[in-house]
Amino acid sequence: MTIGFIGNPNCGKTTLFNAYTGAHLKVANWPGVTVEKKEGAMKYHNETYKLVDLPGTYSLTSYTMEEIVTRNYILSGEVDVLINVVDASSLERNLYLTLQLIELGKPVVVALNMMDIVEKRGMEIDLHRLPEMLGIPVIPVSAIKRTGIDILIHAASHHAKTSQSHHFEMAHVSADISKHREFPFVYSREIENKIAVISKELGQKYPDIKNYRWYAIKLLEKDEELTKYHSVSEELINRSYETDIINQKYEFIETVIEEILVNKEKSKAFTDKIDTALTNKFTGLPIFLLIMGFIFFLTFLIGGWLKGYFEIIIENFSGFIDSGLTALKINEMVHSLIIDGIIAGVGGILTFLPNIFILFLALAFLEDSGYMSRVAYVMDGIMGKAGLSGKAFIPMLLGFGCSVPAVMAARSLESMKDRLRVMLVIPFMSCSAKLPIYVLFAGMFFPDNPALVAFSMYIIGLAAGLLSALIIHRFDKTKEENMLLIELPEYKSPSARTIFIYVWDKIKDYLSRAGTVIFAASVIVWIVMNFGFSGYTKDISESFGAVLGKYLMPVLAPAGLGFWQAGVALIAGFAAKEIVVASFAILFGIAGVMSESGMNLLAAELGNIGFGPLNAYCLMLFALLYPPCVAALGAIKRESGSWKRLGLIMVFQIGVAWTVSFAVYQIGRLF
Amino acid sequence: MALKLTDGIKDKFYFVCGMSLPVKTAKRLEALGMISGTKIYMLNKKKSALVVVFRGTRFALGKAIAQNIEVDDIKSNNTAENKSGGYI
């Protein structure tokens, strides 16, 4: 049996899906987290159920892609029963989708989620009257506390097996409008008469259709998708009845709410009290900047303090392995590969675990608290100047964590043009993988103000992104006005479980990258640095890497990067940005590159080749702005749907990286 | 007297009278329950956007949308008293 989870954005579908399947899909407190359908399985009473988590949707019309995709999936017949997850605290709005689902003719069970918020507001829902009025089972659940979930699956299973589609069979369709016995709600006499007549004609024209009533309603609404493949006599539908149908549905919903909601709230909710400050026109932006500054402080200063302990562990480990290999008289080449290649590369990256942990912990708090949507509102004015709505800032903010989910989040934007522009600028955001580059080079060359220098990268990345969007907007001849429309959910205390899943997922990803991509890249960089045309060589200037890097020198030199080592490290950085750091460690054979002694040694080695603070700053800038890692490029290709677009985006990013580094280097040389 | 939603005042209630927006945006708003007669509450307001509450849910609306929504002052409209929304 296949069960589909459907509901408004941010109603708790994925939390419920995770509770049943044991999956760890990302959940957060802002609309649009789930952008594609996800499948899972569970066993209940010896029966296996396939569960499908569908992207959140407010309705089943055909105005947006997610609505069409969701609707077509339900109509395809793959789903046996639908669990309509409803946010009880926004019942009035959520019931609109419920009514549409009932009309679709599939068995539907309502999972009434977030009852705790309803109770906190001093409201009560009449749980006997609600199913009576809707004509379907309604089960109160708490997706977070995992209460009511057994009853819900039991009800869904039972309902799928026993629900009869008698509501919609042709034999029952007549012009008689006394349909309250058959349907939970009926439309006006005029519309019901039309539905009956259209259904009859549909029955003659399309005998395979199972739910004539729904098709008739959609034809009356002049639904764009449906009218492509189904039609009836023109005189039956003289105009679009969509607005009438929406109005009448809401009239019914208002009746339901009036009957089932006891003690409707009279005072401002706690959320609104917070919002008076967080979305205030004077305090909103400064508060947002303070929050971002605080996250930065935690990531760099607290994370940096913890990193010191990780460095000691890596140094001791490296020393232990080094002595062991020496004692065992292991081949010199293998010894070098392990110490100067693998441990220098992978070990250097592992020391950043505390910084990464704190950064994602902070982002998880932002996402799960409900603040993310407010950021869209706060940033709307600034984004509007670049021709984007404030909603476009959400993917950009996620880009501070990782570009891959950020690119995916761009799907929540309605127009493809906006999505492309956001995908173009997301890689300018300082993702977590760029953090090690800033910490290393700011620490080595700007020991007095390393945090300030690193912070400048975040600001420059953001400015480059906004400026790029602004310039494109200026040259865009088909300007469209931006339509910010986003739900601001209730604030809530972040759930420990959600935060744990979110952070653990990122840490696991970081560790697995260290063990796979970074490990492999470290080995490859070591080979490229230790082998030349004459075979294994200790003279690194004769290596393949040096030859390759020297080809890049003339191009990179005007941007302050006329060192073949920088060229090699930047190319290696395409695999993953952390590899820029790993490459420098391998290039100069420094095992504990992040320790104080390792940094001093690397700074001295770089100083010997004429690489100074200005070059370091240009390297950080170039690494910040040049194209992202292959994983992010893959996501851009998937989401933009074209190699050509990906190519243009990459060319643009290389151009911006080179131009900015060039400008800074040339101006910097004057002082 | 009808006025643009952007001309509304913070912390006041209004009734929606109509809207002239692109079909997709208008239908999305209607699906969310913003139909003629819906009571809305202006929670916050700034130059480029505003926050309103209707049918128990907060929404941020950009200026391009808000200036094309017509609302009526609650005192001058007694016909839609039963339409819910905001904090009744």
Side-chain angles (χ1 to χ4, degrees), chain A residues 63-64 66 92-93 242-243 247 250 254 265 268 272 275 279 377-378 381 484 486 488, chain B residues 11 24 27-28 30-33 35 41 44 46 48 55 57-58 60-62 84 87-88:
Chain A
Y63 294 109
T64 66
E66 77 264 14
E92 196 171 346
R93 194 202 65 224
E242 189 173 16
T243 302
N247 285 349
Y250 269 108
E254 283 160 15
E265 59 186 333
K268 272 191 178 181
D272 301 331
D275 266 345
T279 61
Y377 173 75
V378 167
L484 173 69
I486 188 168
L488 305 182
Chain B
D11 287 327
K24 274 189 180 181
K27 293 302 168 198
R28 174 153 276 208
E30 284 180 356
L32 293 169
I35 52 176
Y41 175 71
N44 245 324
K46 61 175 187 171
S48 67
R55 299 194 188 274
T57 311
R58 291 158 213 85
L61 300 179
S84 62
Y87 306 100
I88 297 175

mmCIF file of all heavy atoms in Angstrom, chain A residues 63-64 66 92-93 242-243 247 250 254 265 268 272 275 279 377-378 381 484 486 488, chain B residues 11 24 27-28 30-33 35 41 44 46 48 55 57-58 60-62 84 87-88:
data_model
loop_
_atom_site.group_PDB
_atom_site.id
_atom_site.type_symbol
_atom_site.label_atom_id
_atom_site.label_comp_id
_atom_site.label_asym_id
_atom_site.label_seq_id
_atom_site.Cartn_x
_atom_site.Cartn_y
_atom_site.Cartn_z
ATOM 1 N N TYR A 63 -1.227 26.559 -11.192
ATOM 2 C CA TYR A 63 -0.488 27.807 -11.398
ATOM 3 C C TYR A 63 0.993 27.674 -11.079
ATOM 4 O O TYR A 63 1.793 28.471 -11.513
ATOM 5 C CB TYR A 63 -1.100 28.936 -10.571
ATOM 6 C CG TYR A 63 -2.492 29.284 -11.047
ATOM 7 C CD1 TYR A 63 -3.614 28.972 -10.290
ATOM 8 C CD2 TYR A 63 -2.678 29.898 -12.280
ATOM 9 C CE1 TYR A 63 -4.882 29.282 -10.737
ATOM 10 C CE2 TYR A 63 -3.944 30.197 -12.742
ATOM 11 C CZ TYR A 63 -5.038 29.895 -11.962
ATOM 12 O OH TYR A 63 -6.283 30.191 -12.423
ATOM 13 N N THR A 64 1.365 26.694 -10.273
ATOM 14 C CA THR A 64 2.794 26.524 -9.985
ATOM 15 C C THR A 64 3.197 25.091 -10.279
ATOM 16 O O THR A 64 2.366 24.175 -10.296
ATOM 17 C CB THR A 64 3.128 26.839 -8.504
ATOM 18 O OG1 THR A 64 2.480 25.857 -7.697
ATOM 19 C CG2 THR A 64 2.673 28.217 -8.091
ATOM 20 N N GLU A 66 4.949 22.976 -8.446
ATOM 21 C CA GLU A 66 4.769 21.982 -7.375
ATOM 22 C C GLU A 66 3.317 21.517 -7.297
ATOM 23 O O GLU A 66 3.043 20.358 -6.980
ATOM 24 C CB GLU A 66 5.300 22.478 -6.020
ATOM 25 C CG GLU A 66 4.436 23.471 -5.259
ATOM 26 C CD GLU A 66 4.874 24.897 -5.513
ATOM 27 O OE1 GLU A 66 5.651 25.126 -6.455
ATOM 28 O OE2 GLU A 66 4.421 25.793 -4.777
ATOM 29 N N GLU A 92 -7.824 27.172 9.378
ATOM 30 C CA GLU A 92 -8.673 27.785 8.374
ATOM 31 C C GLU A 92 -8.021 27.739 6.990
ATOM 32 O O GLU A 92 -8.656 27.372 6.001
ATOM 33 C CB GLU A 92 -8.947 29.226 8.789
ATOM 34 C CG GLU A 92 -10.102 29.843 8.050
ATOM 35 C CD GLU A 92 -10.493 31.180 8.634
ATOM 36 O OE1 GLU A 92 -10.065 31.509 9.750
ATOM 37 O OE2 GLU A 92 -11.244 31.903 7.967
ATOM 38 N N ARG A 93 -6.730 28.112 6.936
ATOM 39 C CA ARG A 93 -6.045 28.125 5.659
ATOM 40 C C ARG A 93 -5.774 26.692 5.163
ATOM 41 O O ARG A 93 -5.904 26.383 3.992
ATOM 42 C CB ARG A 93 -4.723 28.884 5.789
ATOM 43 C CG ARG A 93 -4.104 29.235 4.464
ATOM 44 C CD ARG A 93 -2.626 29.468 4.615
ATOM 45 N NE ARG A 93 -1.947 28.242 5.010
ATOM 46 C CZ ARG A 93 -1.010 28.190 5.941
ATOM 47 N NH1 ARG A 93 -0.643 29.247 6.590
ATOM 48 N NH2 ARG A 93 -0.443 27.034 6.232
ATOM 49 N N GLU A 242 -13.856 29.922 -11.241
ATOM 50 C CA GLU A 242 -12.826 29.641 -10.228
ATOM 51 C C GLU A 242 -13.015 30.484 -8.966
ATOM 52 O O GLU A 242 -12.969 29.961 -7.854
ATOM 53 C CB GLU A 242 -11.437 29.871 -10.823
ATOM 54 C CG GLU A 242 -10.350 29.379 -9.880
ATOM 55 C CD GLU A 242 -8.973 29.421 -10.481
ATOM 56 O OE1 GLU A 242 -8.771 30.086 -11.505
ATOM 57 O OE2 GLU A 242 -8.081 28.766 -9.909
ATOM 58 N N THR A 243 -13.200 31.796 -9.160
ATOM 59 C CA THR A 243 -13.340 32.666 -7.986
ATOM 60 C C THR A 243 -14.575 32.271 -7.172
ATOM 61 O O THR A 243 -14.519 32.213 -5.934
ATOM 62 C CB THR A 243 -13.416 34.142 -8.423
ATOM 63 O OG1 THR A 243 -12.218 34.416 -9.162
ATOM 64 C CG2 THR A 243 -13.497 35.089 -7.256
ATOM 65 N N ASN A 247 -14.413 31.084 -3.338
ATOM 66 C CA ASN A 247 -15.209 31.794 -2.327
ATOM 67 C C ASN A 247 -16.139 30.846 -1.573
ATOM 68 O O ASN A 247 -16.265 30.923 -0.355
ATOM 69 C CB ASN A 247 -16.051 32.889 -3.000
ATOM 70 C CG ASN A 247 -15.207 34.082 -3.383
ATOM 71 O OD1 ASN A 247 -14.048 34.188 -2.984
ATOM 72 N ND2 ASN A 247 -15.755 34.973 -4.174
ATOM 73 N N TYR A 250 -14.266 28.668 0.875
ATOM 74 C CA TYR A 250 -13.932 29.397 2.095
ATOM 75 C C TYR A 250 -15.175 29.689 2.950
ATOM 76 O O TYR A 250 -15.085 29.742 4.176
ATOM 77 C CB TYR A 250 -13.149 30.676 1.781
ATOM 78 C CG TYR A 250 -11.658 30.395 1.788
ATOM 79 C CD1 TYR A 250 -10.917 30.364 0.619
ATOM 80 C CD2 TYR A 250 -10.998 30.105 2.988
ATOM 81 C CE1 TYR A 250 -9.559 30.067 0.630
ATOM 82 C CE2 TYR A 250 -9.636 29.806 3.008
ATOM 83 C CZ TYR A 250 -8.926 29.792 1.829
ATOM 84 O OH TYR A 250 -7.584 29.482 1.863
ATOM 85 N N GLU A 254 -15.305 28.642 6.750
ATOM 86 C CA GLU A 254 -15.672 29.559 7.838
ATOM 87 C C GLU A 254 -16.759 28.946 8.720
ATOM 88 O O GLU A 254 -16.730 29.087 9.943
ATOM 89 C CB GLU A 254 -16.149 30.894 7.254
ATOM 90 C CG GLU A 254 -14.982 31.761 6.780
ATOM 91 C CD GLU A 254 -15.391 32.827 5.790
ATOM 92 O OE1 GLU A 254 -16.595 33.107 5.651
ATOM 93 O OE2 GLU A 254 -14.489 33.381 5.125
ATOM 94 N N GLU A 265 -8.646 32.864 19.596
ATOM 95 C CA GLU A 265 -7.712 33.774 20.275
ATOM 96 C C GLU A 265 -8.139 35.238 20.143
ATOM 97 O O GLU A 265 -8.652 35.664 19.130
ATOM 98 C CB GLU A 265 -6.310 33.597 19.691
ATOM 99 C CG GLU A 265 -6.266 33.865 18.216
ATOM 100 C CD GLU A 265 -4.911 33.549 17.639
ATOM 101 O OE1 GLU A 265 -3.936 33.618 18.373
ATOM 102 O OE2 GLU A 265 -4.858 33.237 16.446
ATOM 103 N N LYS A 268 -2.741 39.105 20.810
ATOM 104 C CA LYS A 268 -1.615 38.838 19.927
ATOM 105 C C LYS A 268 -0.857 37.616 20.396
ATOM 106 O O LYS A 268 -0.615 37.429 21.593
ATOM 107 C CB LYS A 268 -0.655 40.025 19.963
ATOM 108 C CG LYS A 268 -0.988 41.099 18.969
ATOM 109 C CD LYS A 268 0.172 42.072 18.914
ATOM 110 C CE LYS A 268 -0.090 43.145 17.899
ATOM 111 N NZ LYS A 268 1.029 44.085 17.804
ATOM 112 N N ASP A 272 3.908 37.309 17.404
ATOM 113 C CA ASP A 272 3.720 38.677 16.926
ATOM 114 C C ASP A 272 4.426 39.688 17.809
ATOM 115 O O ASP A 272 4.879 40.731 17.336
ATOM 116 C CB ASP A 272 2.226 38.995 16.835
ATOM 117 C CG ASP A 272 1.529 38.024 15.896
ATOM 118 O OD1 ASP A 272 2.200 37.551 14.969
ATOM 119 O OD2 ASP A 272 0.362 37.719 16.114
ATOM 120 N N ASP A 275 7.870 39.575 16.654
ATOM 121 C CA ASP A 275 7.963 40.160 15.318
ATOM 122 C C ASP A 275 7.900 41.685 15.322
ATOM 123 O O ASP A 275 8.396 42.308 14.378
ATOM 124 C CB ASP A 275 6.856 39.596 14.409
ATOM 125 C CG ASP A 275 7.345 38.404 13.620
ATOM 126 O OD1 ASP A 275 8.575 38.207 13.573
ATOM 127 O OD2 ASP A 275 6.519 37.683 13.046
ATOM 128 N N THR A 279 10.834 42.238 12.778
ATOM 129 C CA THR A 279 10.465 42.668 11.427
ATOM 130 C C THR A 279 10.158 44.174 11.396
ATOM 131 O O THR A 279 9.609 44.671 10.427
ATOM 132 C CB THR A 279 9.249 41.874 10.893
ATOM 133 O OG1 THR A 279 8.130 42.109 11.752
ATOM 134 C CG2 THR A 279 9.503 40.398 10.818
ATOM 135 N N TYR A 377 11.751 38.881 4.588
ATOM 136 C CA TYR A 377 11.041 40.170 4.722
ATOM 137 C C TYR A 377 12.030 41.306 4.994
ATOM 138 O O TYR A 377 11.975 42.356 4.353
ATOM 139 C CB TYR A 377 10.015 40.063 5.852
ATOM 140 C CG TYR A 377 9.346 41.365 6.205
ATOM 141 C CD1 TYR A 377 8.364 41.910 5.389
ATOM 142 C CD2 TYR A 377 9.706 42.067 7.359
ATOM 143 C CE1 TYR A 377 7.757 43.118 5.707
ATOM 144 C CE2 TYR A 377 9.107 43.277 7.688
ATOM 145 C CZ TYR A 377 8.133 43.797 6.856
ATOM 146 O OH TYR A 377 7.539 44.993 7.176
ATOM 147 N N VAL A 378 12.943 41.058 5.928
ATOM 148 C CA VAL A 378 13.909 42.088 6.316
ATOM 149 C C VAL A 378 14.772 42.498 5.120
ATOM 150 O O VAL A 378 15.078 43.666 4.924
ATOM 151 C CB VAL A 378 14.795 41.562 7.484
ATOM 152 C CG1 VAL A 378 15.999 42.454 7.722
ATOM 153 C CG2 VAL A 378 13.965 41.453 8.753
ATOM 154 N N GLY A 381 13.829 44.853 0.821
ATOM 155 C CA GLY A 381 14.151 46.155 0.253
ATOM 156 C C GLY A 381 15.471 46.125 -0.508
ATOM 157 O O GLY A 381 15.564 46.591 -1.650
ATOM 158 N N LEU A 484 7.038 39.530 -3.549
ATOM 159 C CA LEU A 484 7.312 38.795 -2.316
ATOM 160 C C LEU A 484 5.998 38.309 -1.724
ATOM 161 O O LEU A 484 5.081 39.095 -1.484
ATOM 162 C CB LEU A 484 8.039 39.676 -1.300
ATOM 163 C CG LEU A 484 8.225 39.066 0.087
ATOM 164 C CD1 LEU A 484 9.219 37.912 0.052
ATOM 165 C CD2 LEU A 484 8.664 40.086 1.113
ATOM 166 N N ILE A 486 5.387 35.342 1.168
ATOM 167 C CA ILE A 486 5.914 34.220 1.951
ATOM 168 C C ILE A 486 5.219 34.166 3.300
ATOM 169 O O ILE A 486 4.931 35.201 3.911
ATOM 170 C CB ILE A 486 7.461 34.318 2.110
ATOM 171 C CG1 ILE A 486 8.032 33.057 2.747
ATOM 172 C CG2 ILE A 486 7.886 35.545 2.902
ATOM 173 C CD1 ILE A 486 9.540 32.927 2.682
ATOM 174 N N LEU A 488 4.970 33.590 7.198
ATOM 175 C CA LEU A 488 5.880 33.731 8.337
ATOM 176 C C LEU A 488 5.377 32.787 9.428
ATOM 177 O O LEU A 488 4.364 33.072 10.069
ATOM 178 C CB LEU A 488 5.896 35.178 8.836
ATOM 179 C CG LEU A 488 6.226 36.269 7.806
ATOM 180 C CD1 LEU A 488 6.258 37.640 8.463
ATOM 181 C CD2 LEU A 488 7.556 36.012 7.126
ATOM 182 N N ASP B 11 -1.064 47.884 12.847
ATOM 183 C CA ASP B 11 -1.933 47.532 13.976
ATOM 184 C C ASP B 11 -3.419 47.837 13.750
ATOM 185 O O ASP B 11 -4.165 48.011 14.703
ATOM 186 C CB ASP B 11 -1.468 48.224 15.276
ATOM 187 C CG ASP B 11 -0.201 47.579 15.816
ATOM 188 O OD1 ASP B 11 -0.047 46.359 15.637
ATOM 189 O OD2 ASP B 11 0.637 48.297 16.380
ATOM 190 N N LYS B 24 -1.641 34.512 -11.804
ATOM 191 C CA LYS B 24 -0.993 33.528 -10.918
ATOM 192 C C LYS B 24 -0.952 34.023 -9.484
ATOM 193 O O LYS B 24 -1.251 33.278 -8.547
ATOM 194 C CB LYS B 24 0.436 33.259 -11.397
ATOM 195 C CG LYS B 24 0.518 32.187 -12.445
ATOM 196 C CD LYS B 24 1.944 31.811 -12.705
ATOM 197 C CE LYS B 24 2.000 30.743 -13.766
ATOM 198 N NZ LYS B 24 3.334 30.291 -14.063
ATOM 199 N N LYS B 27 -4.519 34.226 -7.956
ATOM 200 C CA LYS B 27 -5.084 32.912 -7.623
ATOM 201 C C LYS B 27 -4.390 32.311 -6.405
ATOM 202 O O LYS B 27 -4.995 31.622 -5.602
ATOM 203 C CB LYS B 27 -4.966 31.960 -8.818
ATOM 204 C CG LYS B 27 -5.831 32.351 -10.003
ATOM 205 C CD LYS B 27 -7.309 32.440 -9.628
ATOM 206 C CE LYS B 27 -8.134 33.099 -10.722
ATOM 207 N NZ LYS B 27 -9.433 33.570 -10.249
ATOM 208 N N ARG B 28 -3.096 32.578 -6.300
ATOM 209 C CA ARG B 28 -2.359 32.071 -5.133
ATOM 210 C C ARG B 28 -2.899 32.729 -3.861
ATOM 211 O O ARG B 28 -3.129 32.066 -2.859
ATOM 212 C CB ARG B 28 -0.867 32.355 -5.307
ATOM 213 C CG ARG B 28 -0.053 32.009 -4.095
ATOM 214 C CD ARG B 28 1.347 31.670 -4.428
ATOM 215 N NE ARG B 28 1.435 30.260 -4.829
ATOM 216 C CZ ARG B 28 2.508 29.527 -4.672
ATOM 217 N NH1 ARG B 28 3.585 30.040 -4.183
ATOM 218 N NH2 ARG B 28 2.520 28.270 -5.031
ATOM 219 N N GLU B 30 -5.869 34.007 -3.484
ATOM 220 C CA GLU B 30 -7.228 33.508 -3.249
ATOM 221 C C GLU B 30 -7.186 32.132 -2.591
ATOM 222 O O GLU B 30 -7.942 31.846 -1.674
ATOM 223 C CB GLU B 30 -7.997 33.432 -4.567
ATOM 224 C CG GLU B 30 -8.449 34.804 -5.053
ATOM 225 C CD GLU B 30 -9.229 34.759 -6.362
ATOM 226 O OE1 GLU B 30 -9.380 33.663 -6.959
ATOM 227 O OE2 GLU B 30 -9.677 35.816 -6.791
ATOM 228 N N ALA B 31 -6.255 31.289 -3.069
ATOM 229 C CA ALA B 31 -6.126 29.951 -2.483
ATOM 230 C C ALA B 31 -5.725 30.040 -1.015
ATOM 231 O O ALA B 31 -6.059 29.173 -0.207
ATOM 232 C CB ALA B 31 -5.109 29.135 -3.261
ATOM 233 N N LEU B 32 -4.980 31.096 -0.682
ATOM 234 C CA LEU B 32 -4.575 31.277 0.712
ATOM 235 C C LEU B 32 -5.698 31.875 1.545
ATOM 236 O O LEU B 32 -5.568 32.028 2.758
ATOM 237 C CB LEU B 32 -3.346 32.190 0.784
ATOM 238 C CG LEU B 32 -2.063 31.607 0.199
ATOM 239 C CD1 LEU B 32 -0.997 32.685 0.080
ATOM 240 C CD2 LEU B 32 -1.551 30.469 1.055
ATOM 241 N N GLY B 33 -6.769 32.234 0.883
ATOM 242 C CA GLY B 33 -7.938 32.733 1.613
ATOM 243 C C GLY B 33 -8.111 34.225 1.554
ATOM 244 O O GLY B 33 -8.966 34.780 2.239
ATOM 245 N N ILE B 35 -9.768 36.629 -0.072
ATOM 246 C CA ILE B 35 -10.852 36.865 -1.034
ATOM 247 C C ILE B 35 -11.618 38.101 -0.587
ATOM 248 O O ILE B 35 -11.395 38.612 0.509
ATOM 249 C CB ILE B 35 -11.789 35.637 -1.143
ATOM 250 C CG1 ILE B 35 -12.266 35.205 0.243
ATOM 251 C CG2 ILE B 35 -11.102 34.495 -1.851
ATOM 252 C CD1 ILE B 35 -13.255 34.065 0.234
ATOM 253 N N TYR B 41 -5.188 41.940 9.125
ATOM 254 C CA TYR B 41 -4.594 42.763 10.176
ATOM 255 C C TYR B 41 -3.191 43.165 9.749
ATOM 256 O O TYR B 41 -2.401 42.309 9.338
ATOM 257 C CB TYR B 41 -4.547 41.926 11.466
ATOM 258 C CG TYR B 41 -3.848 42.601 12.619
ATOM 259 C CD1 TYR B 41 -4.423 43.685 13.272
ATOM 260 C CD2 TYR B 41 -2.615 42.133 13.072
ATOM 261 C CE1 TYR B 41 -3.781 44.281 14.336
ATOM 262 C CE2 TYR B 41 -1.970 42.722 14.145
ATOM 263 C CZ TYR B 41 -2.554 43.808 14.772
ATOM 264 O OH TYR B 41 -1.915 44.398 15.825
ATOM 265 N N ASN B 44 2.916 44.667 10.532
ATOM 266 C CA ASN B 44 4.130 45.458 10.391
ATOM 267 C C ASN B 44 4.186 46.036 9.004
ATOM 268 O O ASN B 44 3.619 45.467 8.058
ATOM 269 C CB ASN B 44 5.366 44.575 10.624
ATOM 270 C CG ASN B 44 6.121 45.005 11.850
ATOM 271 O OD1 ASN B 44 6.207 46.187 12.152
ATOM 272 N ND2 ASN B 44 6.664 44.043 12.570
ATOM 273 N N LYS B 46 6.831 48.348 6.163
ATOM 274 C CA LYS B 46 7.990 49.160 5.808
ATOM 275 C C LYS B 46 7.839 49.555 4.349
ATOM 276 O O LYS B 46 6.851 49.171 3.700
ATOM 277 C CB LYS B 46 9.296 48.404 6.069
ATOM 278 C CG LYS B 46 9.484 47.133 5.288
ATOM 279 C CD LYS B 46 10.865 46.562 5.561
ATOM 280 C CE LYS B 46 11.130 45.375 4.659
ATOM 281 N NZ LYS B 46 12.496 44.921 4.720
ATOM 282 N N SER B 48 9.259 48.702 1.476
ATOM 283 C CA SER B 48 9.236 47.730 0.373
ATOM 284 C C SER B 48 8.265 46.571 0.594
ATOM 285 O O SER B 48 7.947 45.848 -0.348
ATOM 286 C CB SER B 48 10.632 47.159 0.169
ATOM 287 O OG SER B 48 10.993 46.387 1.286
ATOM 288 N N ARG B 55 -6.752 34.918 8.126
ATOM 289 C CA ARG B 55 -7.126 33.521 8.401
ATOM 290 C C ARG B 55 -6.114 32.854 9.337
ATOM 291 O O ARG B 55 -5.718 31.709 9.146
ATOM 292 C CB ARG B 55 -7.291 32.743 7.108
ATOM 293 C CG ARG B 55 -8.396 33.336 6.242
ATOM 294 C CD ARG B 55 -8.817 32.445 5.130
ATOM 295 N NE ARG B 55 -9.726 33.147 4.242
ATOM 296 C CZ ARG B 55 -11.050 33.242 4.404
ATOM 297 N NH1 ARG B 55 -11.618 32.649 5.427
ATOM 298 N NH2 ARG B 55 -11.794 33.909 3.558
ATOM 299 N N THR B 57 -2.947 33.297 9.744
ATOM 300 C CA THR B 57 -1.574 33.082 9.293
ATOM 301 C C THR B 57 -0.934 34.411 8.899
ATOM 302 O O THR B 57 -1.586 35.256 8.286
ATOM 303 C CB THR B 57 -1.547 32.133 8.069
ATOM 304 O OG1 THR B 57 -2.337 30.993 8.373
ATOM 305 C CG2 THR B 57 -0.143 31.669 7.749
ATOM 306 N N ARG B 58 0.359 34.536 9.258
ATOM 307 C CA ARG B 58 1.093 35.758 8.888
ATOM 308 C C ARG B 58 1.729 35.584 7.514
ATOM 309 O O ARG B 58 2.306 34.526 7.241
ATOM 310 C CB ARG B 58 2.252 35.993 9.859
ATOM 311 C CG ARG B 58 1.872 36.355 11.230
ATOM 312 C CD ARG B 58 3.000 36.042 12.201
ATOM 313 N NE ARG B 58 2.423 35.668 13.463
ATOM 314 C CZ ARG B 58 2.027 34.442 13.768
ATOM 315 N NH1 ARG B 58 2.180 33.453 12.915
ATOM 316 N NH2 ARG B 58 1.482 34.188 14.925
ATOM 317 N N ALA B 60 4.240 37.792 4.612
ATOM 318 C CA ALA B 60 4.972 38.981 4.179
ATOM 319 C C ALA B 60 4.582 39.216 2.726
ATOM 320 O O ALA B 60 4.656 38.295 1.900
ATOM 321 C CB ALA B 60 6.472 38.751 4.314
ATOM 322 N N LEU B 61 4.143 40.421 2.423
ATOM 323 C CA LEU B 61 3.760 40.766 1.049
ATOM 324 C C LEU B 61 4.640 41.908 0.558
ATOM 325 O O LEU B 61 4.815 42.908 1.258
ATOM 326 C CB LEU B 61 2.305 41.233 0.979
ATOM 327 C CG LEU B 61 1.201 40.283 1.433
ATOM 328 C CD1 LEU B 61 -0.157 40.963 1.289
ATOM 329 C CD2 LEU B 61 1.204 39.016 0.595
ATOM 330 N N GLY B 62 5.189 41.735 -0.641
ATOM 331 C CA GLY B 62 5.989 42.802 -1.233
ATOM 332 C C GLY B 62 5.094 43.938 -1.677
ATOM 333 O O GLY B 62 3.874 43.772 -1.852
ATOM 334 N N SER B 84 -13.826 35.631 8.755
ATOM 335 C CA SER B 84 -12.809 35.543 9.794
ATOM 336 C C SER B 84 -11.443 35.952 9.265
ATOM 337 O O SER B 84 -11.252 36.184 8.097
ATOM 338 C CB SER B 84 -12.732 34.128 10.327
ATOM 339 O OG SER B 84 -12.352 33.281 9.304
ATOM 340 N N TYR B 87 -7.018 38.446 14.201
ATOM 341 C CA TYR B 87 -7.245 38.068 15.585
ATOM 342 C C TYR B 87 -8.635 38.498 16.024
ATOM 343 O O TYR B 87 -8.836 39.566 16.563
ATOM 344 C CB TYR B 87 -6.204 38.742 16.476
ATOM 345 C CG TYR B 87 -4.829 38.455 16.019
ATOM 346 C CD1 TYR B 87 -4.131 39.378 15.267
ATOM 347 C CD2 TYR B 87 -4.245 37.236 16.302
ATOM 348 C CE1 TYR B 87 -2.862 39.101 14.820
ATOM 349 C CE2 TYR B 87 -2.987 36.956 15.861
ATOM 350 C CZ TYR B 87 -2.299 37.887 15.125
ATOM 351 O OH TYR B 87 -1.048 37.601 14.688
ATOM 352 N N ILE B 88 -9.582 37.650 15.719
ATOM 353 C CA ILE B 88 -10.954 38.004 16.096
ATOM 354 C C ILE B 88 -11.225 37.478 17.502
ATOM 355 O O ILE B 88 -10.926 36.338 17.782
ATOM 356 C CB ILE B 88 -11.968 37.420 15.090
ATOM 357 C CG1 ILE B 88 -11.692 38.052 13.739
ATOM 358 C CG2 ILE B 88 -13.376 37.721 15.513
ATOM 359 C CD1 ILE B 88 -12.510 37.493 12.628
#
